[in-house]
Amino acid sequence: MLLRGMVIGAAIAIIACGQAMAEGAEGVLARCGASKGQSYFLKNEVTNSDGPNWAEDGMSNGKIVLVRLGDEWDIQFDDAVGAFGYRQDEASVIVLGATNDLLTIGAFRGTYTDVYTFDFAHAEVVWTSHKTGTITGKIGLYRAACDVVSLAFN
């Protein structure tokens, strides 16, 4: 009877451990630095009357932080405008796809769509930004190096 209880207890512990691993880590999963890339700036009579045009773009002093709290995801960042996160901006933040080493997250709001693919194996993030309802309309593609804090996101 004691042996049967120990086996059942061990089985419950293994199942609970497996569920915790499947739920993934919480908190900060990656911290990324400055982003460099290219953007296609849409024509705008006030801010880009010579457009549309391609130009180098990025966040030279920017920071990108991937955060998970339970089933909730957020990307927080510092850029020329200031520090904030997509959830703070009332954007929808959802996982679009995941493999063992890659995680793609989208942030959607009426004036922008941003999609980030975190490559944990190569410690980088590649992201796109589509801004159409802001002062400067643009579509950009960027890359930044990251410090991976946790690989347990699945």
Side-chain angles (χ1 to χ4, degrees):
M1 194 67 139
L2 180 62
L3 180 59
R4 181 176 178 209
M6 289 173 46
V7 169
I8 291 172
I12 291 171
I14 290 169
I15 291 168
C17 181
Q19 287 175 338
M21 295 282 286
E23 291 172 4
E26 289 196 1
V28 173
L29 301 184
R31 287 186 176 90
C32 308
S35 296
K36 293 183 181 180
Q38 292 277 319
S39 286
Y40 185 75
F41 290 87
L42 303 169
K43 183 173 179 137
N44 178 305
E45 294 304 324
V46 176
T47 61
N48 190 21
S49 60
D50 294 333
N53 56 313
W54 284 98
E56 287 188 21
D57 195 15
M59 297 186 310
S60 60
N61 293 321
K63 295 179 181 92
I64 299 169
V65 179
L66 174 63
V67 178
R68 179 181 188 181
L69 296 172
D71 290 335
E72 299 288 321
W73 292 87
D74 197 10
I75 296 173
Q76 301 169 350
F77 53 92
D78 290 338
D79 63 11
V81 176
F84 67 98
Y86 287 109
R87 293 250 177 231
Q88 178 183 351
D89 197 33
E90 299 181 1
S92 297
V93 181
I94 60 171
V95 173
L96 299 174
T99 66
N100 288 336
D101 296 329
L102 301 172
L103 176 65
T104 300
I105 294 193
F108 307 94
R109 192 161 183 268
T111 58
Y112 60 77
T113 297
D114 294 344
V115 177
Y116 294 77
T117 297
F118 291 87
D119 183 342
F120 292 98
H122 298 100
E124 67 180 358
V125 62
V126 177
W127 59 286
T128 62
S129 181
H130 298 252
K131 296 188 183 328
T132 56
T134 58
I135 294 171
T136 304
K138 66 179 180 176
I139 295 93
L141 173 65
Y142 311 94
R143 183 208 166 271
C146 300
D147 291 325
V148 175
V149 176
S150 174
L151 289 175
F153 59 86
N154 286 331

